[in-house]
Amino acid sequence: MNINKEKYIYDDLKEFYNKNKSQLYTYQDLELSGKNEYEISIKKSYQLKEYEKNRISNELIEIIINVSKEYKQIKKLINYINANPVILYYDNYIKLLKNYLKYNDELKKNFDKFIINLVTKSSCEEIVKLGIISSCLCSTDNLKEILEVFTIHNEYIFYVIKCLTYLGENDKIFEICKNSYGYGKIFSVMNLSCVNKEMRNWLLEKGSTNNVEISELVEYCLLGGNLLKYFKENEYDKERFENVIMHFTELIYNYDIDEIEDGIDICLNIINFIEDKFGGIYSLYSIVLISDSIENSIFLDSNINDKTIKQRYNNMLSRCKDIYIKKEWHEVIKKEFDNVDIEGSILISCAQKTKYKIKKMEFKRLFNRNYKSPIIYRYAVTYGSPSIKKFLFYEGINKLNIYDLLTGPDNIKLENVPYDKIEQVCFFIIINYLKYEEFTDIYKDINLHALRSPIVETRYEAISNLNIIKELLDENDIDFIKELIDDEVVKEIKRSLIVLLPKNKEKIIRYIDITSQLRIKPHVKDIYLNTIQISETNYVDMSEVSNKLFEEELVYLKRESTNVYDENAILVTTNEGYVLGYIPKSDNFILRNLMDNNKYIYGYIKSINDDYTNIRIDLYLSYEDVLEEITDTLTLLSNNYNSYLQ
């Protein structure tokens, strides 16, 4: 009975299956179909507790028993399974269902027919999935033919695989492996038992070829398979070798040699083959990655005491270099710029190692294929010709659509940028390497826009760039910066933005000589006196110290006895002698007496507000004068007084 009056899912798939033997259902999104099953069953993104799984399974089986007796109640089953998808508890469900069938003759009587109806006579996806997973307990003659139809759609293949695993149909699972793609391939590969050489070889050679979760498959196939045994047992030509090496590069990109079982021996086999028979782009890329991995291991494990391992590493590194410096690789690289299946990062890495100079037209093709790849941007700014750099900056700004990127200030660091926002890294590279003399037409505007980047480092670089052309900022630019100062969430950047504002000519810029004060060295016996707020900072041009003055920084005090307004005046300065203001009159009388009697006083900055008008400092009485008195006394007693000091 078809409750929804729609075409049965089984009939739709069977019609396609009969017309297109061994072809996957084309009306599915191979990047999405089966993803929910993958996330829950393999990534464990959402898990019920065991008691919840058992409770839901029991409730579901009770509903199945009732519906099998009175099919009119099918809506209740549909509602229940839609609310509680079987993927969340399928193992518990099958175990309990098996026991129910063993002791419940009434359920067993109509079970096969009822379950096959769920599989073949429904337009509800979750009902069909329930039927497929339940069919492993059926004894229907044509069950395998029915399941075969569902192997063309990744929404159902997980349940087919689980059913076949339960039935011990490993050969059938292998056939599905060879025909599947997307999440369906992940399910079939991860449930395949490689019981013979054909299966083991296929797993290593083709098991990782996929469009989703490639790293997951590579790890499973290559780390789970015996790659060293494969190299030793098989005779292979360049094409077959290149196919395995393509998957190996994905593995060694994510793992160091010493993290891979038999990693050194596997790499030696690869080096031996490529030395003897050369190879294609993935052969070259594998040598590049092996070389990088060895260099990384040597750098990180610089204290390795095992001379044998060191010698092997150095020998492999030398052999890798002898391979990749061969000029023949330049032709291999050159041929691959039109190959859309080759990632730009692979060609860039190979070009850098072999010193192949990428031409502008080649770079254009790479860039247009993947304009969101940071490695392409870094290559252009580091190794690219002036014309490549120019192309990158103009096209990068155009293609990245910076107005979508610049969503406003946030506190996101480059190291924390998620992969789906990787273009933010590309934009940072543009701002970081942009030079005014090369891009005078866009320099100011693009840096002003970059102040709205959510990435902290991008905003810092933009401010640094704008400081170079501060005199070119007009009134509109200043108004824009003032708005950003209000919106800025990072205190240090807010201060840096204030530096961009025009200097107030009425404010004071004053440096004084503090040579004698600089000899003060903080000592454990220094005595804390008080915390005060520096006065008269509103008269000082703080742009001189903006982004240079920070909390916990040392400041110095110097008497200004010639001050006509206050004979007790005490100046507060930076370590460069820049005057920040005065000790307030209410606090300077006692401090003046101490300083006039040869006592040293200094301070640490406790807090600074955004525009530097409110600076609070902790004052300390230095122990320096005591040390000087001791030194003077000892000088009278001995010419070698330093020997008395501990």
Side-chain angles (χ1 to χ4, degrees):
M1 181 177 182
N2 184 6
I3 296 297
N4 297 320
K5 305 299 182 184
E6 297 174 4
K7 190 174 184 179
Y8 298 139
I9 292 171
Y10 174 76
D11 289 343
D12 183 39
L13 293 178
K14 187 175 182 181
E15 182 181 340
F16 183 92
Y17 175 85
N18 290 335
K19 290 179 180 177
N20 308 275
K21 292 290 185 183
S22 301
Q23 184 178 329
L24 294 178
Y25 189 65
T26 54
Y27 305 109
Q28 65 176 316
D29 187 339
L30 287 173
E31 293 189 356
L32 292 177
S33 291
K35 186 175 182 179
N36 185 53
E37 279 71 16
Y38 171 79
E39 293 289 344
I40 293 173
S41 66
I42 295 176
K43 286 296 186 181
K44 311 295 183 186
S45 61
Y46 178 73
Q47 295 292 300
L48 296 174
K49 296 187 181 299
E50 283 300 307
Y51 74 86
E52 292 176 306
K53 293 179 182 180
N54 288 330
R55 175 183 59 78
I56 294 171
S57 298
N58 277 307
E59 289 176 358
L60 176 60
I61 293 170
E62 289 296 335
I63 294 171
I64 288 174
I65 291 171
N66 292 331
V67 176
S68 67
K69 291 188 289 186
E70 190 176 356
Y71 202 78
K72 290 179 182 179
Q73 295 188 50
I74 188 68
K75 279 189 177 180
K76 186 176 181 180
L77 179 59
I78 292 173
N79 292 336
Y80 191 87
I81 200 64
N82 279 332
N84 302 280
V86 73
I87 184 64
L88 296 170
Y89 50 90
Y90 63 91
D91 272 339
N92 300 60
Y93 164 72
I94 290 299
K95 288 176 185 175
L96 288 170
L97 181 61
K98 185 178 180 181
N99 286 329
Y100 266 88
L101 286 169
K102 188 175 181 181
Y103 299 107
N104 193 317
D105 293 334
E106 192 173 2
L107 174 61
K108 192 173 183 179
K109 182 179 178 182
N110 300 314
F111 180 76
D112 287 4
K113 183 179 179 182
F114 175 73
I115 292 300
I116 295 303
N117 274 341
L118 293 184
V119 175
T120 62
K121 306 292 182 183
S122 178
S123 56
C124 172
E125 287 187 1
E126 291 302 326
I127 285 289
V128 172
K129 292 173 182 178
L130 172 65
I132 295 172
I133 199 77
S134 304
S135 67
C136 66
L137 299 175
C138 291
S139 54
T140 307
D141 293 337
N142 64 339
L143 177 60
K144 292 179 185 178
E145 288 80 3
I146 294 172
L147 294 178
E148 174 74 23
V149 170
F150 287 97
T151 62
I152 65 174
H153 201 307
N154 286 344
E155 277 297 319
Y156 308 101
I157 201 168
F158 170 85
Y159 305 93
V160 173
I161 294 295
K162 286 298 176 185
C163 184
L164 292 173
T165 301
Y166 186 86
L167 296 173
E169 294 288 340
N170 193 58
D171 288 343
K172 182 57 190 171
I173 293 174
F174 184 42
E175 291 304 312
I176 296 173
C177 284
K178 292 188 283 187
N179 293 323
S180 58
Y181 202 60
Y183 289 103
K185 183 161 189 176
I186 298 175
F187 302 141
S188 53
V189 166
M190 290 189 174
N191 284 276
L192 175 67
S193 297
C194 293
V195 295
N196 57 45
K197 185 176 180 180
E198 180 190 3
M199 291 179 181
R200 288 194 296 270
N201 287 353
W202 180 89
L203 192 71
L204 292 169
E205 293 174 6
K206 299 180 180 179
S208 306
T209 304
N210 207 23
N211 65 323
V212 295
E213 304 298 335
I214 298 170
S215 295
E216 183 94 27
L217 266 179
V218 167
E219 289 177 17
Y220 183 85
C221 294
L222 271 66
L223 292 178
N226 193 327
L227 195 55
L228 182 60
K229 185 177 181 181
Y230 171 85
F231 283 130
K232 288 180 176 179
E233 287 184 353
N234 288 281
E235 291 290 333
Y236 35 78
D237 53 23
K238 283 186 181 181
E239 183 178 348
R240 190 177 172 192
F241 177 82
E242 194 77 5
N243 197 41
V244 176
I245 291 303
M246 177 178 68
H247 303 312
F248 175 77
T249 57
E250 182 77 26
L251 183 68
I252 199 167
Y253 180 82
N254 293 311
Y255 290 88
D256 287 330
I257 289 177
D258 52 7
E259 293 179 305
I260 302 170
E261 187 176 355
D262 300 318
I264 293 178
D265 291 328
I266 290 169
C267 290
L268 281 171
N269 273 272
I270 292 170
I271 292 170
N272 290 338
F273 183 90
I274 296 173
E275 277 180 333
D276 183 44
K277 299 185 179 179
F278 206 56
I281 191 67
Y282 284 107
S283 291
L284 172 58
Y285 188 48
S286 70
I287 294 298
V288 170
L289 292 178
I290 290 171
S291 173
D292 289 345
S293 182
I294 294 171
E295 288 175 348
N296 187 52
S297 294
I298 291 173
F299 175 76
L300 292 177
D301 302 323
S302 54
N303 295 321
I304 294 177
N305 295 319
D306 193 322
K307 291 183 179 180
T308 304
I309 293 177
K310 275 187 178 180
Q311 188 174 355
R312 291 187 82 184
Y313 274 156
N314 288 324
N315 177 261
M316 290 169 68
L317 198 58
S318 176
R319 290 175 67 188
C320 285
K321 185 177 180 180
D322 289 341
I323 291 172
Y324 66 65
I325 61 172
K326 293 179 180 178
K327 295 298 181 185
E328 293 95 318
W329 291 115
H330 287 190
E331 283 302 312
V332 173
I333 296 170
K334 189 176 180 180
K335 290 176 183 177
E336 299 295 347
F337 281 100
D338 289 321
N339 186 349
V340 295
D341 293 328
I342 301 290
E343 288 185 23
S345 59
I346 294 175
L347 292 175
I348 293 288
S349 297
C350 291
Q352 286 178 237
K353 212 71 169 178
T354 61
K355 294 183 168 42
Y356 176 82
K357 198 72 176 175
I358 296 176
K359 299 173 182 63
K360 184 178 178 180
M361 289 307 297
E362 293 170 337
F363 181 82
K364 279 186 175 182
R365 291 198 286 273
L366 274 186
F367 179 83
N368 290 330
R369 283 213 305 266
N370 191 357
Y371 64 87
K372 294 182 181 180
S373 171
I375 193 171
I376 291 177
Y377 285 72
R378 290 205 180 278
Y379 175 84
V381 298
T382 308
Y383 301 100
S385 63
S387 61
I388 284 178
K389 288 181 186 176
K390 189 173 182 179
F391 170 82
L392 173 83
F393 285 127
Y394 285 109
E395 282 301 304
I397 291 167
N398 180 48
K399 285 213 178 246
L400 288 174
N401 196 353
I402 61 170
Y403 301 104
D404 289 338
L405 292 179
L406 308 180
T407 54
D410 205 337
N411 199 16
I412 303 172
K413 297 289 187 69
L414 268 179
E415 61 187 19
N416 297 324
V417 173
Y419 186 76
D420 61 348
K421 303 290 183 186
I422 198 69
E423 59 267 35
Q424 293 284 5
V425 179
C426 301
F427 184 64
F428 166 77
I429 294 171
I430 288 177
I431 296 301
N432 191 34
Y433 285 91
L434 199 66
K435 293 189 182 339
Y436 176 68
E437 58 272 18
E438 295 175 358
F439 299 95
T440 54
D441 55 333
I442 63 169
Y443 191 83
K444 184 179 81 168
D445 286 344
I446 198 64
N447 278 294
L448 283 169
H449 284 304
L451 296 177
R452 290 192 54 76
S453 169
I455 309 303
V456 170
E457 291 88 343
T458 302
R459 301 203 299 283
Y460 267 126
E461 286 299 327
I463 292 170
S464 177
N465 291 344
L466 289 169
N467 263 310
I468 296 170
I469 57 159
K470 208 155 91 168
E471 69 280 358
L472 299 180
L473 300 176
D474 57 31
E475 288 185 14
N476 290 332
D477 301 331
I478 297 302
D479 288 341
F480 177 69
I481 291 170
K482 286 179 178 177
E483 290 178 14
L484 290 171
I485 290 172
D486 292 334
D487 295 338
E488 182 54 60
V489 296
V490 179
K491 183 168 63 174
E492 290 78 9
I493 294 181
K494 182 175 283 195
R495 291 173 182 169
S496 299
L497 285 169
I498 293 170
V499 178
L500 293 175
L501 300 179
K503 289 185 178 182
N504 189 332
K505 295 181 180 178
E506 297 177 359
K507 294 201 173 186
I508 300 168
I509 297 177
R510 182 185 177 192
Y511 286 89
I512 63 172
D513 180 20
I514 59 164
T515 305
S516 61
Q517 280 73 25
L518 288 175
R519 65 186 176 186
I520 298 174
K521 305 296 180 187
H523 193 279
V524 292
K525 292 188 177 181
D526 293 346
I527 300 171
Y528 167 75
L529 298 175
N530 194 11
T531 299
I532 60 100
Q533 179 177 320
I534 301 176
S535 67
E536 300 188 32
T537 53
N538 54 315
Y539 298 113
V540 177
D541 186 347
M542 288 298 179
S543 66
E544 284 287 302
V545 292
S546 293
N547 211 31
K548 297 178 184 176
L549 199 63
F550 303 99
E551 280 85 355
E552 299 184 7
E553 201 161 307
L554 202 64
V555 291
Y556 298 91
L557 274 60
K558 184 169 183 176
R559 283 279 284 117
E560 190 182 45
S561 55
T562 58
N563 190 305
V564 295
Y565 302 105
D566 181 8
E567 63 180 359
N568 300 324
I570 302 172
L571 294 165
V572 182
T573 79
T574 67
N575 61 0
E576 294 178 345
Y578 189 72
V579 177
L580 299 172
Y582 288 86
I583 298 294
K585 284 186 179 182
S586 58
D587 297 292
N588 68 9
F589 180 73
I590 294 176
L591 296 177
R592 182 213 71 170
N593 286 332
L594 289 169
M595 294 178 73
D596 287 350
N597 284 281
N598 299 319
K599 298 297 181 183
Y600 297 110
I601 300 172
Y602 67 94
Y604 281 109
I605 296 176
K606 185 174 184 179
S607 63
I608 312 173
N609 70 340
D610 292 335
D611 60 3
Y612 292 84
T613 57
N614 186 332
I615 304 175
R616 293 177 61 78
I617 60 174
D618 291 333
L619 295 176
Y620 288 84
L621 178 63
S622 175
Y623 189 66
E624 188 70 29
D625 64 307
V626 177
L627 292 174
E628 287 180 355
E629 287 181 13
I630 293 172
T631 300
D632 290 342
T633 302
L634 292 174
T635 301
L636 297 174
L637 299 173
S638 172
N639 290 328
N640 189 22
Y641 62 85
N642 285 327
S643 63
Y644 289 87
L645 296 176
Q646 300 299 321

